[in-house]
Amino acid sequence: MTDVDNPSVVARVGSLLRAVGAAEPAGASTTDVAKAARIARPTAHRLLSSMSDEGLIDRDTKTGRWALGPELYLLGASAANRYDITGQARDILDRLARDTGESAFLSARRGDETVCVLSQEGSFPLRSHVLHEGIRFPLGVASAGLVILAHLPGRDVDEFFSRTELDSSWGGAHSEAAVRRRIAATLQSGYAVNPGLLVEGSFGIGAAVFDRSGRPAWALSLTGVQTRFGPERLPTLGTTLLDAAHLLSMRLRL
């Protein structure tokens, strides 16, 4: 069996692509990419070079840093017709940011992760800077990942925890018991909250967006400084966010 026939090579290539994508637009060194993908540096360099030959990865000849390649753009443009909902979501995101003053985001589920795909800054001058386009978090981490996980069928949630230990990377606040408590609170209110669990002093709130099959495939979220999400304002923000998520879900069913 050759390297290209080995399924683990496909997994490694996927890990490298995600690592390079997370480093956009600045790019990343071979060492950084290998570390992020948890692949030995010589193996990472060999695979990156092969991917570069196919146009999937590009390398700056001056800095040696890797970036996503032109072939991915072409493939992505083809896939956008099926998966990209930013066109339907942009005006909703703009309205959320304008009406609340907070930064608004659209995240998409990708397997056991969420990826931020669209953002709009609010007018309030202080921001949390937790989210940005391209950043990935596991389900259960950040408000977008938590609200998507909360709205999955119970069996899917159990299977997620059977293969994932969030606290090993994200600390005790993300133990299975702690996340399950936040799932229960999310199902009660309809929206998820992240009270400074990633960055002290920040706050996030998320609402699920459902696909045509009724599954949580995306999430809208608002982030800002914690003082802006006090108990007197949080229910209003939650209702506003849920209304926006419902509107987007309805658009996607048409």
Side-chain angles (χ1 to χ4, degrees):
M1 179 180 288
T2 66
D3 272 354
V4 294
D5 293 324
N6 191 335
S8 67
V9 173
V10 178
R12 290 176 182 179
V13 168
S15 296
L16 290 170
L17 285 171
R18 286 189 288 272
V20 173
E24 290 287 345
S29 67
T30 303
T31 299
D32 290 341
V33 173
K35 183 178 179 181
R38 298 181 180 180
I39 297 174
R41 189 185 184 284
T43 301
H45 185 270
R46 175 174 57 81
L47 290 173
L48 288 167
S49 297
S50 296
M51 291 155 65
S52 178
D53 292 341
E54 297 296 326
L56 299 173
I57 295 292
D58 202 11
R59 195 177 197 188
D60 190 304
T61 56
K62 294 182 179 179
T63 66
R65 299 178 74 83
W66 300 95
L68 297 179
E71 188 64 25
L72 280 183
Y73 167 77
L74 298 173
L75 292 171
S78 298
N81 291 330
R82 182 173 183 182
Y83 297 107
D84 185 14
I85 68 164
T86 55
Q88 296 102 311
R90 193 176 301 277
D91 68 310
I92 294 176
L93 216 64
D94 291 346
R95 191 181 313 125
L96 273 173
R98 183 180 66 249
D99 292 348
T100 67
E102 313 303 335
S103 296
F105 302 88
L106 172 68
S107 297
R109 182 188 176 191
R110 181 65 179 90
D112 284 348
E113 295 181 315
T114 58
V115 185
C116 180
V117 296
L118 188 64
S119 64
Q120 178 59 53
E121 291 186 352
S123 59
F124 192 71
L126 297 180
R127 301 183 177 92
S128 69
H129 300 291
V130 173
L131 287 179
H132 58 78
E133 291 179 23
I135 194 169
R136 291 172 176 260
F137 288 112
L139 296 180
V141 176
S143 60
L146 177 59
V147 78
I148 288 176
L149 182 63
H151 284 89
L152 289 175
R155 183 174 64 181
D156 290 2
V157 175
D158 293 340
E159 290 177 354
F160 170 78
F161 282 116
S162 73
R163 61 180 179 267
T164 307
E165 293 183 2
L166 295 176
D167 53 345
S168 63
S169 299
W170 300 92
H174 293 90
S175 67
E176 179 177 345
V179 175
R180 283 189 180 275
R181 286 193 294 271
R182 288 197 287 277
I183 286 175
T186 298
L187 293 176
Q188 185 173 6
S189 65
Y191 54 85
V193 298
N194 177 20
L197 298 177
L198 297 179
V199 176
E200 186 177 357
S202 69
F203 201 101
I205 178 173
V209 176
F210 299 88
D211 63 17
R212 291 183 177 180
S213 300
R215 294 180 63 85
W218 302 272
L220 293 175
S221 57
L222 295 169
T223 70
V225 294
Q226 197 157 4
T227 54
R228 296 270 293 174
F229 291 78
E232 72 290 341
R233 188 173 183 240
L234 184 58
T236 300
L237 289 174
T239 299
T240 300
L241 192 60
L242 286 171
D243 288 344
H246 178 71
L247 174 59
L248 183 53
S249 296
M250 291 300 100
R251 282 186 182 180
L252 299 177
R253 292 183 183 181
L254 298 177

